Amino acid sequence: SLPHIADFGLAVSENTQSLLAGQVAGTPAYMSPEQVRGEAHRLDGRSDIWSLGVIFYELLTGRHPFWRGRIDACIDEIQHREPKPPRQIDEQIPRELERICLKCLSKDIKERHSTAADIASEVRGWINGTGADNQVTDGVTPITKSSVISNRWLALLAVVVLVTGVLVVGSLIFERTGD
C-alpha cells in the first residue's frame, strides 16, 4: 500500500512553547526523540525534519523505521535504537538518498539538516549528479544518474520535494502570521 500524508503535526509558536514543557503531543510514530521526551523547549524545525525523515524512510523502504505495532515500543525505539539502514532492506536504494534520509533521523538534533530547504538542496544535488554518489572514489567511475533513476525513484523524489516545499512555505507563512 502507498503511504499517505494525513497529519503535518502540531503548529506551536516559540511564544507558546514554554507553556508545553513536559507535555507530549503528536502522532507517536512520527515524533522526534526530543518530542517523545516532552522537551518542548528543544522543539524547532529540526523536529519536523525528523518527521519528514520518517516519511522519506517509508517511501524508500515501504516500512516504518520504528513502528512495531505498539506505541510504547515505538517510543522506546525512537529514543534508543537507530533505524535499519534502508540499503540493508533494499540494496537498490541509492547511497546518497539513504544518507540524506538517515541524517534526517539522527537522534542528535544538531546532526540533522537545519531546514527542509537543505534537504531539497541535497536531493537536487543527487538528481543533478553532484551528490556524494557521483563522486569518483578509488578510481571507480560512479554510476550515472540515468542508470539509477527509475520511475519509482522519480515518484519518490517528487513526493519528497513536494513535502519539503510545503514545509518551507508553511513555515514562512507561520513566521509571518505569528501566533
Side-chain angles (χ1 to χ4, degrees):
S1 81
L2 296 173
H4 300 285
I5 300 170
D7 179 4
F8 281 97
L10 305 171
V12 178
S13 73
E14 289 181 18
N15 297 337
T16 58
Q17 222 168 352
S18 62
L19 301 173
L20 301 174
Q23 294 183 21
V24 177
T27 305
Y30 296 88
M31 291 167 63
S32 64
E34 59 276 7
Q35 194 173 1
V36 298
R37 289 190 301 264
E39 298 171 347
H41 65 285
R42 296 190 69 206
L43 300 181
D44 60 20
R46 294 170 296 182
S47 289
D48 294 333
I49 297 299
W50 171 278
S51 301
L52 181 60
V54 172
I55 294 168
F56 195 5
Y57 189 99
E58 290 175 309
L59 290 169
L60 286 172
T61 66
R63 63 172 79 162
H64 192 281
F66 304 104
W67 182 254
R68 301 295 177 263
R70 291 188 5 243
I71 292 173
D72 59 336
C74 179
I75 288 172
D76 184 65
E77 292 205 14
I78 288 170
Q79 292 182 79
H80 303 293
R81 187 182 66 80
E82 294 299 323
K84 185 174 192 172
R87 289 181 47 79
Q88 287 183 11
I89 297 167
D90 180 355
E91 65 184 25
Q92 293 183 11
I93 295 170
R95 281 182 178 83
E96 182 69 354
L97 295 184
E98 176 185 68
R99 185 194 64 74
I100 294 167
C101 177
L102 292 177
K103 185 172 180 178
C104 293
L105 293 174
S106 174
K107 304 273 188 229
D108 183 349
I109 193 170
K110 292 179 237 124
E111 297 291 321
R112 291 182 212 144
H113 297 88
S114 297
T115 66
D118 293 341
I119 299 168
S121 176
E122 288 196 19
V123 170
R124 274 193 304 274
W126 179 77
I127 291 169
N128 294 328
T130 59
D133 272 353
N134 297 297
Q135 305 303 314
V136 175
T137 57
D138 299 328
V140 177
T141 304
I143 297 171
T144 63
K145 180 174 64 172
S146 62
S147 68
V148 174
I149 295 181
S150 66
N151 288 339
R152 174 182 172 199
W153 298 120
L154 287 175
L156 166 72
L157 292 173
V159 170
V160 169
V161 170
L162 174 67
V163 171
T164 301
V166 168
L167 287 173
V168 170
V169 171
S171 67
L172 291 172
I173 291 169
F174 187 73
E175 284 178 16
R176 288 191 180 138
T177 60
D179 297 357

